[in-house]
């Protein structure tokens, strides 16, 4: 083969599929663009890192104070003169008291089951609704989507009484269904997934239709696999919201066996007023599973932002 033949050989990018070429171009443009800080100069980078460090410290300070208080005795927790290092040292007494006075394993199991069920139903229903608004055409679609967006402005506290009357009519109070079903209504997740489906190339849908695929096959086999990062991010936010929800599980159930963790830890009270160490220990125990879940799946949140219009692309 001569040098002439080598010079006219097409580049590998030219023979690659169009989505691959577009992704390569985006990566090259990202490498050649400006930094995510305030600029390329050393001074601007130092200012940006300083500002970020101060904001991170301000965000972590309350969490550090709660964690520090949880490992103190009740006497040391209210001693302002030794707020940093307790006079009698650190102890696990607050955690022992909360564990002995309550049924934390059962509350954690209930919270895990309810949060997982709410997450699975919400993600599935919101994804189907988002696909319907994004990829189908039916009468009243714009008005129905406008109503869904307007529902985001309705605070959940306003719906407590209608939900309670509905569960009472259906004879579902003091059941898992009463706690789970009202929490699966998430208009904001429908809006997010609808916008995500809008950003996906329609050429994939057209190619699937040429192969004889219908709406369900396109939704389940084509768009859902491409939406895993976004679905994971939505699932994390829904799970955190369901885990931290206190008001509705408190209203919908009166059976101690159905208590979730936020409801259960509020029942661990002391006759001598506010117990700061026990309160902070309860908060740490309630937040610990969420920290573990977030640390495991945080890369999905970053990936979902980087691969959608939310990332500025």
């Amino acid at each position: 083969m001569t040098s002439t033949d080598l010079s006219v050989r097409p580049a590998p990018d030219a023979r690659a599929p169009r989505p691959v070429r577009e992704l390569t171009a985006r990566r090259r443009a990202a490498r050649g663009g400006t930094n995510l800080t305030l600029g390329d100069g050393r001074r601007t980078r130092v200012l940006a890192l300083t500002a970020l460090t101060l904001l991170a410290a301000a965000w972590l300070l309350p969490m550090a104070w709660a964690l520090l208080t949880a490992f103190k005795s009740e006497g040391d927790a209210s001693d302002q003169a030794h707020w940093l290092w307790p006079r009698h040292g650190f102890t696990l007494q607050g955690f022992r008291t909360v564990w002995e006075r309550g049924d934390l394993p059962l509350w954690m199991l209930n919270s895990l089951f309810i949060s997982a069920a709410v997450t699975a139903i919400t993600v599935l229903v919101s994804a189907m609704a988002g696909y319907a608004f994004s990829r189908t055409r039916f009468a009243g679609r714009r008005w129905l989507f406008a109503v869904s967006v307007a529902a985001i402005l309705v605070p959940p506290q306003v719906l407590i009484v209608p939900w309670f009357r509905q569960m009472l009519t259906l004879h579902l109070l003091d059941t898992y269904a009463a706690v789970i079903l009202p929490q699966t209504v998430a208009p904001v997740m429908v809006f997010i997934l609808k916008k995500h489906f809008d950003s996906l190339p329609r050429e994939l849908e057209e190619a699937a239709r040429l192969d004889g695929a219908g709406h369900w096959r396109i939704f389940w086999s084509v768009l859902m696999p491409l939406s895993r990062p976004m679905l994971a991010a939505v699932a994390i936010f829904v799970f955190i919201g369901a885990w931290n929800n206190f008001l509705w599980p408190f209203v919908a159930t009166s059976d101690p066996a159905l208590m979730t963790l936020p409801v259960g830890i509020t029942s661990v009270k002391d006759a001598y007023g506010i117990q700061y160490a026990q309160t902070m220990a309860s908060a740490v125990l309630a937040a610990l599973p969420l920290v573990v879940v977030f640390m495991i799946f945080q890369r999905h949140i970053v990936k979902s932002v980087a691969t959608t219009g939310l990332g500025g692309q």
Side-chain angles (χ1 to χ4, degrees):
M1 183 178 297
T2 63
S3 58
T4 306
D5 297 331
L6 291 175
S7 62
V8 297
R9 172 179 289 183
D13 290 343
R15 296 182 299 176
R18 181 178 177 183
V20 176
R21 296 199 305 270
E22 293 178 353
L23 181 59
T24 303
R26 288 182 179 181
R27 289 178 176 176
R28 291 175 179 173
R31 286 196 298 265
T34 58
N35 294 331
L36 293 179
T37 55
L38 297 180
D40 293 330
R42 181 178 180 181
R43 180 180 297 178
T44 54
R45 287 199 298 268
V46 170
L47 290 176
L49 291 177
T50 302
L52 292 175
T53 302
L54 293 176
L55 291 175
W59 181 76
L60 290 174
L61 186 60
M63 300 178 61
W65 180 83
L67 188 63
L68 190 66
T69 306
F71 286 96
K72 295 180 180 179
S73 63
E74 292 298 341
D76 290 335
S78 57
D79 186 3
Q80 298 181 2
H82 300 82
W83 65 271
L84 181 59
W85 191 268
R87 178 181 301 177
H88 301 93
F90 294 102
T91 178
L92 297 175
Q93 185 60 40
F95 293 94
R96 295 195 193 99
T97 303
V98 174
W99 189 275
E100 292 171 358
R101 292 184 179 179
D103 195 355
L104 260 69
L106 177 61
W107 299 341
M108 285 187 175
L109 186 62
N110 288 339
S111 292
L112 181 61
F113 172 73
I114 291 173
S115 301
V118 170
T119 301
I121 297 174
T122 302
V123 171
L124 181 60
V125 173
S126 299
M128 290 191 294
Y131 172 83
F133 285 129
S134 175
R135 301 291 179 155
T136 62
R137 297 294 181 269
F138 55 90
R141 180 178 65 91
R142 295 181 179 273
W143 288 103
L144 187 58
F145 181 69
V147 172
S148 300
V149 174
I152 300 176
L153 304 177
V154 179
Q157 293 79 5
V158 177
L159 303 175
I160 293 296
V161 174
W163 283 347
F164 184 84
R165 292 182 62 88
Q166 186 178 16
M167 296 299 109
L168 181 64
T169 303
L170 297 175
H171 304 286
L172 293 178
L173 291 178
D174 277 334
T175 62
Y176 285 115
V179 183
I180 293 172
L181 292 179
Q183 298 187 68
T184 59
V185 181
V188 63
M189 300 305 170
V190 176
F191 175 79
I192 291 174
L193 290 174
K194 191 264 183 187
K195 292 301 181 182
H196 169 69
F197 288 135
D198 287 343
S199 66
L200 296 179
R202 295 187 177 270
E203 290 80 2
L204 300 175
E205 180 181 357
E206 295 173 358
R209 290 191 182 280
L210 292 177
D211 291 336
H215 280 297
W216 177 254
R217 186 62 181 274
I218 294 173
F219 167 75
W220 190 257
S221 300
V222 179
L223 298 186
M224 289 292 279
L226 296 175
S227 306
R228 287 175 183 173
M230 178 59 69
L231 294 175
V234 169
I236 291 173
F237 290 122
V238 174
F239 184 89
I240 292 175
W243 183 278
N244 290 330
N245 194 355
F246 166 79
L247 183 58
W248 175 244
F250 177 76
V251 172
T253 60
S254 58
D255 187 358
L258 297 176
M259 282 185 178
T260 60
L261 190 58
V263 177
I265 60 178
T266 58
S267 65
V268 182
K269 299 294 183 181
D270 196 278
Y272 299 99
I274 299 177
Q275 303 296 312
Y276 295 103
Q278 296 178 25
T279 302
M280 293 299 104
S282 302
V284 170
L285 290 175
L288 185 60
L290 296 182
V291 174
V292 174
V293 170
F294 183 80
M295 294 299 294
I296 294 175
F297 296 102
Q298 63 175 336
R299 63 185 182 89
H300 293 287
I301 299 179
V302 177
K303 188 175 180 181
S304 66
V305 174
T307 56
T308 61
L310 297 179
Q313 296 180 2

